[in-house]
Amino acid sequence: MHVFELIIALLLAGAALTALSRRIGTPYPAMVALAGAGLALVPGTPTLVLDPELALTLFVAPVLLDAAFDASQRDLRANWRTVTGLAIGAVALTIVVVAVVARLLVPGMPWAVAVALGAIVAPPDAAAATAVLKQLRPPHRLLVILEGESLFNDASALLIYRLAVSATLAGALSGAGVIPLLLIVTVGSVVLGFVLARVMVVLIARINDVAMAVVVQFCGTFAVWMLAERLHLSGILTVVVFAMAAARRAADVTPARLRIPSYAVWDFAVFVLNVLAFILVGFQLKGILGRIDSRTLLEYVGVAAAVCVATILARIAWVSGAAAFSRWRCRPAPDGTQGPRDTVALSKPAAAVVGWCGMRGIVTLAAALALPTGGADGPAFPYRDLVLFTAFSVVLGTLVVQGMTLRPLINVLKLQDDDSVEREVRLARVETLRAALSATDGLAGDEMSGLMRRRYELMLRRAEAELAGDGPAPDGAAASDGRAFNDDAAIVRRATAAERQRLLALRADGTIGDAAFQRVEQELDLEELDLQQR
């Protein structure tokens, strides 16, 4: 009961810290990380140890699905080289650098343990960076790159993590079997994700109750992860593919009265899981501090500080080097002719921001918590206390140092929003309103039909003026203007259905990305709910 009361109090504290972080412009995980570190120093707090097999499933599966569901496949394809370079190249470089640093500082540490430590701290958490970036409205492409990287760097890092942990516990790992194993795991995870997404969409389409829909979504997420793990595939890659495939079909089969509350529940769940992860690490750090003396603590602090610096510098080196190579490759020829144009090359300011957005978060914490503690199921992971202490220190250090300096860096570099999403939103509003007008063409010419057509015509004019830049319309005006009319329900339903189909078509053919799609979809959802209430 005491632990439960403490967790409830800390969740409330986490909510207060989140509000404070938004006011001062820092990522809320940074504030929660500081609270978790302080928890380890509070006398009387208990020591809790989470079941290692539960850690990744509980913390990573729903958080990853939430991020992958909102990812724009069109934008990821346009930036695939940059995203792939970060998700594979930057992760691999970080693992190598951290493993070498750890071995130099702790000579007795096996290479497999050092590689596992590198894999734990390698994947950055985009949520921490985008929490700040979205407030500052940088170029949309930076958000796409960071969010896309976070989906796939987790998979690459945790694949290596699993191999390193297995090699540590088994004593050896066959190098010749690693590449075929990775290929089988990758292909199998992708296929399984697509198949389960189709099953889930069919199931969700048959549910009309909000509570039931949310329960099925959450249970389905954990089921996807656990099935992949049972089949010895990658739970992360399976969940990413599952979420992205389901997102393309779910919009057409999920009504607004289910979608809006389920999104709110998912936002709440992701927040709670982030706070709980830092709380549990704080509890475990207290146990570590109780087991070591002051000299060992100083050694731990030295290793953690060196690994944190190595982690930050490895990412900056990769991003800066890759961006510089792209710019060199595209340089003009000696005779003045233009070289090859690299559409995905990052400018120096953009590369500086991407390189500095290396805050670690919940995946690093979950991977550290998932290390075997020893017992009836097998031996404890060697140097577990040091690895867990170092992992949390890297998370805390990157969140505080990088997270709290990201806003000043953006302001100094003067990176501005390119308005690409807003243009697509305005275009989508115009196209969907045209579809609504077309849907009402064949209606009987009574007074109500005339009023409804007049309403959509006025909304279309305002949306076209906004698209052309002749005058700004209030945010959401295209979806809410004219609500004082006594709407005819059948006409509005017919028009709204046409708008939704046109919106889906715009996303399907790549005219708009998922960011614009979700904005306009929300407007249509609110219109549909307003109709149902009246």
Side-chain angles (χ1 to χ4, degrees):
M1 189 64 184
H2 175 64
V3 173
F4 177 74
E5 292 172 349
L6 181 60
I7 289 177
I8 294 299
L10 291 171
L11 286 176
L12 291 174
L17 291 172
T18 301
L20 176 62
S21 68
R22 289 174 179 171
R23 182 175 294 273
I24 64 178
T26 61
Y28 83 85
M31 306 296 290
V32 178
L34 288 171
L39 184 66
L41 304 176
V42 175
T45 54
T47 299
L48 296 179
V49 178
L50 184 70
D51 184 350
E53 294 184 0
L54 178 61
L56 286 174
T57 305
L58 176 62
F59 292 118
V60 177
V63 172
L64 194 63
L65 182 134
D66 182 66
F69 194 87
D70 294 335
S72 174
Q73 296 183 28
R74 183 203 65 172
D75 295 339
L76 287 177
R77 285 194 297 268
N79 296 278
W80 71 269
R81 275 191 289 175
T82 304
V83 171
T84 302
L86 289 169
I88 298 178
V91 165
L93 179 62
T94 302
I95 291 174
V96 171
V97 171
V98 169
V100 171
V101 169
R103 279 278 299 181
L104 289 175
L105 295 176
V106 188
M109 178 181 290
W111 274 109
V113 175
V115 170
L117 173 59
I120 288 171
V121 301
D125 180 13
T130 55
V132 176
L133 291 177
K134 286 180 179 178
Q135 298 176 16
L136 303 176
R137 299 190 63 190
H140 177 64
R141 181 165 174 254
L142 292 186
L143 295 176
V144 171
I145 290 171
L146 293 172
E147 291 172 347
E149 174 200 4
S150 72
L151 297 179
F152 300 103
N153 61 14
D154 296 341
S156 59
L158 290 187
L159 278 175
I160 298 174
Y161 163 83
R162 289 284 175 81
L163 292 174
V165 171
S166 298
T168 301
L169 299 179
L173 186 67
S174 173
V178 170
I179 293 179
L181 176 62
L182 290 178
L183 289 175
I184 293 173
V185 167
T186 301
V187 174
S189 300
V190 171
V191 172
L192 180 63
F194 273 114
V195 171
L196 294 179
R198 289 184 172 273
V199 174
M200 177 60 73
V201 169
V202 172
L203 182 61
I204 290 294
R206 300 175 180 272
I207 299 176
N208 296 315
D209 181 72
V210 175
M212 183 67 68
V214 173
V215 169
V216 170
Q217 289 171 13
F218 272 97
C219 293
T221 300
F222 292 120
V224 168
W225 179 284
M226 291 185 290
L227 179 59
E229 293 295 316
R230 291 288 184 183
L231 297 175
H232 302 289
L233 301 175
S234 168
I236 282 186
L237 190 56
T238 304
V239 168
V240 169
V241 174
F242 167 81
M244 296 181 72
R248 305 299 290 186
R249 303 174 63 88
D252 197 23
V253 301
T254 307
R257 63 185 184 82
L258 296 184
R259 180 164 40 244
I260 289 180
S262 68
Y263 282 1
V265 172
W266 275 97
D267 288 342
F268 168 76
V270 169
F271 168 76
V272 169
L273 289 173
N274 272 281
V275 174
L276 284 178
F278 285 101
I279 291 174
L280 287 171
V281 170
F283 283 147
Q284 295 209 21
L285 284 179
K286 186 174 181 62
I288 293 174
L289 296 178
R291 290 193 294 269
I292 60 177
D293 55 27
S294 57
R295 180 179 176 181
T296 305
L297 177 60
L298 288 177
E299 294 176 356
Y300 278 21
V301 170
V303 173
V307 169
C308 186
V309 172
T311 300
I312 294 174
L313 293 180
R315 178 180 177 84
I316 293 175
W318 176 270
V319 175
S320 302
F325 175 77
S326 293
R327 292 193 297 270
W328 173 84
R329 176 175 168 271
C330 302
R331 72 193 187 285
D335 59 2
T337 59
Q338 180 63 42
R341 185 169 180 267
D342 190 347
T343 58
V344 299
L346 291 173
S347 64
K348 289 182 179 179
V353 172
V354 173
W356 196 243
C357 288
M359 291 80 83
R360 270 56 180 179
I362 191 169
V363 173
T364 294
L365 295 179
L369 291 170
L371 292 173
T373 57
D377 295 334
F381 191 81
Y383 295 90
R384 186 181 190 275
D385 284 354
L386 174 59
V387 172
L388 180 58
F389 183 91
T390 303
F392 181 76
S393 299
V394 170
V395 171
L396 180 62
T398 54
L399 284 174
V400 172
V401 174
Q402 294 180 298
M404 293 187 172
T405 57
L406 187 55
R407 177 183 286 269
L409 178 64
I410 293 283
N411 291 333
V412 168
L413 296 176
K414 297 180 179 179
L415 286 172
Q416 300 295 327
D417 187 5
D418 55 8
D419 203 35
S420 59
V421 174
E422 291 297 328
R423 286 196 300 270
E424 291 182 356
V425 168
R426 293 193 289 267
L427 173 62
R429 286 172 179 163
V430 169
E431 291 294 324
T432 54
L433 286 170
R434 286 174 179 168
L437 275 174
S438 298
T440 60
D441 278 343
L443 297 177
D446 56 13
E447 182 179 358
M448 179 57 69
S449 298
L451 285 173
M452 292 304 300
R453 283 192 55 80
R454 177 61 177 164
R455 167 200 172 201
Y456 282 110
E457 288 170 356
L458 289 173
M459 293 166 64
L460 178 57
R461 286 182 194 173
R462 296 192 65 176
E464 288 175 337
E466 188 180 0
L467 178 63
D470 293 338
D475 186 43
S480 60
D481 190 29
R483 292 297 181 266
F485 288 102
N486 294 321
D487 299 345
D488 182 272
I491 298 175
V492 176
R493 287 195 186 94
R494 180 171 179 174
T496 303
E499 288 180 285
R500 288 192 184 280
Q501 291 303 314
R502 182 57 182 151
L503 184 63
L504 289 167
L506 290 172
R507 182 178 68 167
D509 62 20
T511 301
I512 64 173
D514 281 65
F517 173 86
Q518 290 157 11
R519 286 266 303 276
V520 179
E521 181 187 51
Q522 184 181 43
E523 295 173 0
L524 295 178
D525 285 347
L526 294 175
E527 181 178 1
E528 182 178 320
L529 289 180
D530 179 63
L531 172 65
Q532 291 175 357
Q533 289 174 357
R534 289 186 286 108

